[in-house]
Amino acid sequence: MKKWMLMLCFLLFFDVQMIGGMRDKTSLSTFRQAGMPVELFQKMGMKAQDMEQYLGFWEDLKYFPVAGRKEAPKEVFYFEDTWLEDRNYGGKRAHQGCDVFGKEDRREYYPVVSMTDGVVETVGWLSLGGWRIGIRSPGGGFFYYAHLSSYEKEFQEGDAVKAGEILGFLGDTGYGEEGTRGKFPCHLHVGIYVKTQKEAEHALNPYPVLLFLQSRQKNFFY
């Protein structure tokens, strides 16, 4: 009797493990079909449930968010994975984004473009983000572009935006009252958020998104 019970427990455990493995494989296949770099996510320590949060908007992604200049065809942009690193302005907090720098520390030099099609949901000044704009893509991702030096035009909430459209120019605004500049080097802060059952704005690490876009589109100039 004990042997039969042990055998039954073993078979149940085996079935659970096998089903779980099949689900993981199915999920990974789904991610790959959407064009997601599964190996990159795994290298970053993300599991299938983490990757799933990117799936809704992944096919919306078209362009790296900072463009080079025609007179500098070999321009390279720099960014690191600073996800959840400590920040101090406005009190101790975690960095929920990724910062993109150009070779030139100059305002009004690098165009900032929309990574996706979408609709403008927020625009204007924030003491933390300076001149910023937030765009909701068709797949539900909210893309936040901050520290702009200026806007390309007078965007309004509800405006439709096309992927690759210039939103403004990379700058150094923020960390103070409206118009504050020069508190840090010129860069673009990129934030990505999705709606979940628990949070209206759940932050995702933009680093794998930026790596993906940079690798597939190396020469984009204005």
Side-chain angles (χ1 to χ4, degrees):
M1 186 68 178
K2 290 183 178 180
K3 290 182 178 181
W4 281 107
M5 290 295 293
L6 289 173
M7 182 62 71
L8 180 61
C9 290
F10 173 78
L11 289 173
L12 288 173
F13 175 79
F14 179 79
D15 287 344
V16 169
Q17 294 300 310
M18 185 174 67
I19 292 171
M22 290 175 63
R23 285 176 178 170
D24 286 344
K25 289 180 180 178
T26 302
S27 297
L28 295 182
S29 174
T30 300
F31 299 144
R32 289 193 175 97
Q33 288 176 5
M36 295 177 64
V38 171
E39 289 73 19
L40 171 61
F41 281 98
Q42 290 177 325
K43 187 176 180 180
M44 294 177 63
M46 294 193 188
K47 298 180 180 180
Q49 56 264 36
D50 301 316
M51 290 184 263
E52 192 172 2
Q53 295 177 322
Y54 294 77
L55 185 59
F57 63 77
W58 196 266
E59 293 184 353
D60 297 338
L61 299 169
K62 304 298 180 185
Y63 293 103
F64 190 77
V66 185
R69 303 280 296 226
K70 290 181 179 179
E71 60 267 30
K74 295 184 179 181
E75 186 67 69
V76 176
F77 297 101
Y78 307 91
F79 54 95
E80 296 180 352
D81 186 3
T82 57
W83 181 244
L84 300 183
E85 285 189 357
D86 289 342
R87 294 292 188 269
N88 296 315
Y89 177 77
K92 189 174 182 180
R93 56 190 173 80
H95 188 226
Q96 293 186 339
C98 194
D99 296 331
V100 181
F101 298 82
K103 182 179 179 181
E104 302 290 335
D105 184 17
R106 295 168 60 180
R107 302 167 185 157
E108 297 292 307
Y109 186 73
Y110 297 112
V112 172
V113 305
S114 181
M115 292 184 275
T116 69
D117 291 345
V119 176
V120 176
E121 285 195 0
T122 57
V123 64
W125 182 267
L126 281 181
S127 62
L128 183 61
W131 297 117
R132 95 314 188 186
I133 186 168
I135 296 170
R136 182 76 62 181
S137 77
F142 180 74
F143 294 82
Y144 173 77
Y145 308 81
H147 306 312
L148 302 181
S149 179
S150 65
Y151 296 104
E152 172 68 3
K153 63 181 183 181
E154 293 185 9
F155 288 100
Q156 303 292 324
E157 293 180 10
D159 285 352
V161 172
K162 289 292 186 182
E165 181 176 342
I166 298 179
L167 303 175
F169 291 85
L170 186 146
D172 59 349
T173 60
Y175 283 25
E177 61 184 15
E178 185 170 328
T180 300
R181 301 174 186 266
K183 297 288 187 178
F184 39 74
C186 292
H187 69 278
L188 174 69
H189 171 94
V190 177
I192 300 178
Y193 302 83
V194 293
K195 294 179 181 178
T196 68
Q197 292 182 346
K198 295 181 178 180
E199 295 178 273
E201 293 186 353
H202 177 73
L204 302 180
N205 188 349
Y207 185 70
V209 170
L210 295 175
L211 278 180
F212 170 76
L213 291 173
Q214 187 181 59
S215 67
R216 66 179 291 190
Q217 174 221 313
K218 298 181 179 178
N219 297 301
F220 184 44
F221 306 102
Y222 275 96

PDB file of all heavy atoms in Angstrom, residues 3-15:
ATOM      1  N   LYS A   3       3.867   1.506  -1.089  1.00  0.00           N
ATOM      2  CA  LYS A   3       4.553   1.635  -2.376  1.00  0.00           C
ATOM      3  C   LYS A   3       3.648   2.288  -3.415  1.00  0.00           C
ATOM      4  O   LYS A   3       4.075   3.117  -4.199  1.00  0.00           O
ATOM      5  CB  LYS A   3       5.007   0.265  -2.857  1.00  0.00           C
ATOM      6  CG  LYS A   3       6.146  -0.328  -2.048  1.00  0.00           C
ATOM      7  CD  LYS A   3       6.563  -1.664  -2.627  1.00  0.00           C
ATOM      8  CE  LYS A   3       7.745  -2.242  -1.833  1.00  0.00           C
ATOM      9  NZ  LYS A   3       8.174  -3.549  -2.399  1.00  0.00           N
ATOM     10  N   TRP A   4       2.362   1.873  -3.395  1.00  0.00           N
ATOM     11  CA  TRP A   4       1.414   2.458  -4.337  1.00  0.00           C
ATOM     12  C   TRP A   4       1.197   3.958  -4.062  1.00  0.00           C
ATOM     13  O   TRP A   4       1.094   4.768  -4.994  1.00  0.00           O
ATOM     14  CB  TRP A   4       0.080   1.714  -4.253  1.00  0.00           C
ATOM     15  CG  TRP A   4       0.091   0.407  -4.995  1.00  0.00           C
ATOM     16  CD1 TRP A   4       0.124  -0.844  -4.463  1.00  0.00           C
ATOM     17  CD2 TRP A   4       0.091   0.249  -6.409  1.00  0.00           C
ATOM     18  NE1 TRP A   4       0.152  -1.794  -5.448  1.00  0.00           N
ATOM     19  CE2 TRP A   4       0.131  -1.150  -6.667  1.00  0.00           C
ATOM     20  CE3 TRP A   4       0.076   1.132  -7.487  1.00  0.00           C
ATOM     21  CZ2 TRP A   4       0.145  -1.671  -7.950  1.00  0.00           C
ATOM     22  CZ3 TRP A   4       0.081   0.614  -8.770  1.00  0.00           C
ATOM     23  CH2 TRP A   4       0.124  -0.761  -9.001  1.00  0.00           C
ATOM     24  N   MET A   5       1.136   4.306  -2.809  1.00  0.00           N
ATOM     25  CA  MET A   5       0.979   5.720  -2.452  1.00  0.00           C
ATOM     26  C   MET A   5       2.180   6.539  -2.891  1.00  0.00           C
ATOM     27  O   MET A   5       2.051   7.652  -3.420  1.00  0.00           O
ATOM     28  CB  MET A   5       0.784   5.853  -0.937  1.00  0.00           C
ATOM     29  CG  MET A   5      -0.562   5.333  -0.439  1.00  0.00           C
ATOM     30  SD  MET A   5      -1.952   6.289  -1.082  1.00  0.00           S
ATOM     31  CE  MET A   5      -1.671   7.862  -0.270  1.00  0.00           C
ATOM     32  N   LEU A   6       3.377   6.002  -2.680  1.00  0.00           N
ATOM     33  CA  LEU A   6       4.591   6.699  -3.108  1.00  0.00           C
ATOM     34  C   LEU A   6       4.626   6.847  -4.616  1.00  0.00           C
ATOM     35  O   LEU A   6       5.001   7.896  -5.163  1.00  0.00           O
ATOM     36  CB  LEU A   6       5.833   5.939  -2.617  1.00  0.00           C
ATOM     37  CG  LEU A   6       6.103   6.005  -1.116  1.00  0.00           C
ATOM     38  CD1 LEU A   6       7.255   5.065  -0.746  1.00  0.00           C
ATOM     39  CD2 LEU A   6       6.461   7.440  -0.708  1.00  0.00           C
ATOM     40  N   MET A   7       4.224   5.783  -5.319  1.00  0.00           N
ATOM     41  CA  MET A   7       4.204   5.832  -6.781  1.00  0.00           C
ATOM     42  C   MET A   7       3.202   6.871  -7.283  1.00  0.00           C
ATOM     43  O   MET A   7       3.469   7.621  -8.220  1.00  0.00           O
ATOM     44  CB  MET A   7       3.838   4.452  -7.328  1.00  0.00           C
ATOM     45  CG  MET A   7       3.831   4.373  -8.852  1.00  0.00           C
ATOM     46  SD  MET A   7       5.459   4.711  -9.578  1.00  0.00           S
ATOM     47  CE  MET A   7       6.308   3.192  -9.090  1.00  0.00           C
ATOM     48  N   LEU A   8       2.033   6.936  -6.645  1.00  0.00           N
ATOM     49  CA  LEU A   8       1.016   7.909  -7.037  1.00  0.00           C
ATOM     50  C   LEU A   8       1.503   9.333  -6.831  1.00  0.00           C
ATOM     51  O   LEU A   8       1.313  10.215  -7.678  1.00  0.00           O
ATOM     52  CB  LEU A   8      -0.258   7.667  -6.226  1.00  0.00           C
ATOM     53  CG  LEU A   8      -1.441   8.612  -6.516  1.00  0.00           C
ATOM     54  CD1 LEU A   8      -1.868   8.490  -7.975  1.00  0.00           C
ATOM     55  CD2 LEU A   8      -2.614   8.294  -5.587  1.00  0.00           C
ATOM     56  N   CYS A   9       2.163   9.565  -5.686  1.00  0.00           N
ATOM     57  CA  CYS A   9       2.705  10.901  -5.403  1.00  0.00           C
ATOM     58  C   CYS A   9       3.757  11.289  -6.429  1.00  0.00           C
ATOM     59  O   CYS A   9       3.818  12.439  -6.896  1.00  0.00           O
ATOM     60  CB  CYS A   9       3.303  10.943  -3.998  1.00  0.00           C
ATOM     61  SG  CYS A   9       2.072  10.857  -2.692  1.00  0.00           S
ATOM     62  N   PHE A  10       4.578  10.323  -6.799  1.00  0.00           N
ATOM     63  CA  PHE A  10       5.629  10.581  -7.780  1.00  0.00           C
ATOM     64  C   PHE A  10       5.027  10.953  -9.129  1.00  0.00           C
ATOM     65  O   PHE A  10       5.461  11.911  -9.787  1.00  0.00           O
ATOM     66  CB  PHE A  10       6.528   9.353  -7.926  1.00  0.00           C
ATOM     67  CG  PHE A  10       7.530   9.475  -9.041  1.00  0.00           C
ATOM     68  CD1 PHE A  10       8.686  10.224  -8.880  1.00  0.00           C
ATOM     69  CD2 PHE A  10       7.297   8.861 -10.266  1.00  0.00           C
ATOM     70  CE1 PHE A  10       9.595  10.349  -9.915  1.00  0.00           C
ATOM     71  CE2 PHE A  10       8.200   8.989 -11.306  1.00  0.00           C
ATOM     72  CZ  PHE A  10       9.353   9.731 -11.132  1.00  0.00           C
ATOM     73  N   LEU A  11       3.999  10.204  -9.549  1.00  0.00           N
ATOM     74  CA  LEU A  11       3.364  10.470 -10.832  1.00  0.00           C
ATOM     75  C   LEU A  11       2.684  11.844 -10.848  1.00  0.00           C
ATOM     76  O   LEU A  11       2.743  12.578 -11.836  1.00  0.00           O
ATOM     77  CB  LEU A  11       2.342   9.382 -11.146  1.00  0.00           C
ATOM     78  CG  LEU A  11       2.929   8.004 -11.489  1.00  0.00           C
ATOM     79  CD1 LEU A  11       1.811   6.972 -11.609  1.00  0.00           C
ATOM     80  CD2 LEU A  11       3.750   8.067 -12.772  1.00  0.00           C
ATOM     81  N   LEU A  12       2.026  12.192  -9.745  1.00  0.00           N
ATOM     82  CA  LEU A  12       1.387  13.514  -9.661  1.00  0.00           C
ATOM     83  C   LEU A  12       2.419  14.623  -9.731  1.00  0.00           C
ATOM     84  O   LEU A  12       2.228  15.638 -10.416  1.00  0.00           O
ATOM     85  CB  LEU A  12       0.584  13.621  -8.359  1.00  0.00           C
ATOM     86  CG  LEU A  12      -0.703  12.795  -8.293  1.00  0.00           C
ATOM     87  CD1 LEU A  12      -1.290  12.859  -6.881  1.00  0.00           C
ATOM     88  CD2 LEU A  12      -1.712  13.291  -9.314  1.00  0.00           C
ATOM     89  N   PHE A  13       3.538  14.454  -9.026  1.00  0.00           N
ATOM     90  CA  PHE A  13       4.607  15.446  -9.053  1.00  0.00           C
ATOM     91  C   PHE A  13       5.182  15.575 -10.460  1.00  0.00           C
ATOM     92  O   PHE A  13       5.409  16.679 -10.961  1.00  0.00           O
ATOM     93  CB  PHE A  13       5.713  15.047  -8.078  1.00  0.00           C
ATOM     94  CG  PHE A  13       6.917  15.941  -8.118  1.00  0.00           C
ATOM     95  CD1 PHE A  13       6.895  17.175  -7.470  1.00  0.00           C
ATOM     96  CD2 PHE A  13       8.063  15.568  -8.801  1.00  0.00           C
ATOM     97  CE1 PHE A  13       8.005  18.008  -7.513  1.00  0.00           C
ATOM     98  CE2 PHE A  13       9.160  16.396  -8.847  1.00  0.00           C
ATOM     99  CZ  PHE A  13       9.145  17.609  -8.198  1.00  0.00           C
ATOM    100  N   PHE A  14       5.374  14.428 -11.135  1.00  0.00           N
ATOM    101  CA  PHE A  14       5.916  14.427 -12.490  1.00  0.00           C
ATOM    102  C   PHE A  14       4.991  15.156 -13.447  1.00  0.00           C
ATOM    103  O   PHE A  14       5.424  15.951 -14.279  1.00  0.00           O
ATOM    104  CB  PHE A  14       6.140  12.987 -12.951  1.00  0.00           C
ATOM    105  CG  PHE A  14       6.676  12.889 -14.353  1.00  0.00           C
ATOM    106  CD1 PHE A  14       8.019  13.112 -14.609  1.00  0.00           C
ATOM    107  CD2 PHE A  14       5.833  12.580 -15.418  1.00  0.00           C
ATOM    108  CE1 PHE A  14       8.521  13.035 -15.906  1.00  0.00           C
ATOM    109  CE2 PHE A  14       6.321  12.505 -16.700  1.00  0.00           C
ATOM    110  CZ  PHE A  14       7.678  12.727 -16.949  1.00  0.00           C
ATOM    111  N   ASP A  15       3.675  14.896 -13.317  1.00  0.00           N
ATOM    112  CA  ASP A  15       2.707  15.553 -14.199  1.00  0.00           C
ATOM    113  C   ASP A  15       2.708  17.058 -14.014  1.00  0.00           C
ATOM    114  O   ASP A  15       2.644  17.830 -14.968  1.00  0.00           O
ATOM    115  CB  ASP A  15       1.298  15.010 -13.920  1.00  0.00           C
ATOM    116  CG  ASP A  15       1.106  13.592 -14.462  1.00  0.00           C
ATOM    117  OD1 ASP A  15       1.940  13.177 -15.296  1.00  0.00           O
ATOM    118  OD2 ASP A  15       0.157  12.923 -14.036  1.00  0.00           O
TER     119      ASP A  15
END
